[in-house]
Amino acid sequence: MAVDRAQAHAVVGERLRAAGQLYTSGRRELVELLLDIGRPATMADVLGQRPSLVQSSVYRNMADLERTGIVRRVAGSDELIRVELAEEIIGHHHHLVCTQCGTVDDFTVPEAAERALRDALQAIAREGSFVPEDHRLDVLGRCTPCSRERTIK
Amino acid sequence: MAVDRAQAHAVVGERLRAAGQLYTSGRRELVELLLDIGRPATMADVLGQRPSLVQSSVYRNMADLERTGIVRRVAGSDELIRVELAEEIIGHHHHLVCTQCGTVDDFTVPEAAERALRDALQAIAREGSFVPEDHRLDVLGRCTPCSRERTIK
DNA sequence: CTCAGTGCAAAGGATTTGCATGCCG
DNA sequence: CGGCATGCAAATCCTTTGCACTGAG
């Protein structure tokens, strides 16, 4: 997924402004970092790679960006908060979740499979009083590094 | 999904024994409770509904049951640990995750849709060095109670 | 008698909040 | 100016761990 950074920033700035918030340098840096990382990042990832950023501000800004629909939370196999840019910005995709180290990576499926999935979900959206907004299809397993390690204990 | 409790307990007891562990009353109570609740439960749910149980023991027993494959973790929209009995016991299903209150509920899709999904996943499993073990298809949205509340702020 | 399991209390780690200050519009 | 954003530190919340004790095989 090739992402036009300038455009990404434009979208983000616009959204924030629409919500009465500012696109400050701290927020810009978060968006920049997420674009760089190219996969769901934990807060530790973010803080580790941008030591200049302050923990509480990062948490608060992520929450703001999430509320504004710029960032979304991603569920891993542990209980750490992971975030990535909205699909509107980085494109539709799914996640490979390592059950051992917790790392989450992106992947896409062929359009045909994607269509089948869409159909399946359509079937779901029916009956209930539950109001569907989104969905997630994750594949759990061992990432490349972890699958190399010998069977643990 | 109708579950035969006696049989469920039999399966659990057997598995634990095979792992050199005991099916104690505390563990039995957890399994019983999970059967009652009928959906992924947080630790708070468990502790709230069984005040006699001790926090640390519940956490430890859940971890043991998870290691033994009797219980599995479920990802919600928050960072709370949620658990449910393995599909081997309660049957294959997917999850409705409320993005507002965090509640997770079970649902199943028609067999045709299930097949389509299976095919889609098959297409995924090929390419990578990632070793797939399991997958999850969740629908995110607003649960019935939350969808009734007026638009928040 | 031995080892797994339990209770209780304390520790740990991640995330959130309070408050004073700085900065953009 | 007025309000949103930031830093720093302290507070919270959930989860994990240490240790002594109990119980089943």
Side-chain angles (χ1 to χ4, degrees), chain A residues 22 43 55-56 59-60 80-81:
Chain A
L22 309 172
M43 290 300 167
Q55 214 181 32
S56 64
Y59 275 103
R60 271 193 283 235
L80 300 179
I81 291 180

Side-chain angles (χ1 to χ4, degrees), chain A residues 67-78:
Chain A
R67 251 177 256 116
T68 324
I70 294 162
V71 144
R72 73 166 185 174
R73 283 196 182 204
V74 173
S77 59
D78 51 35

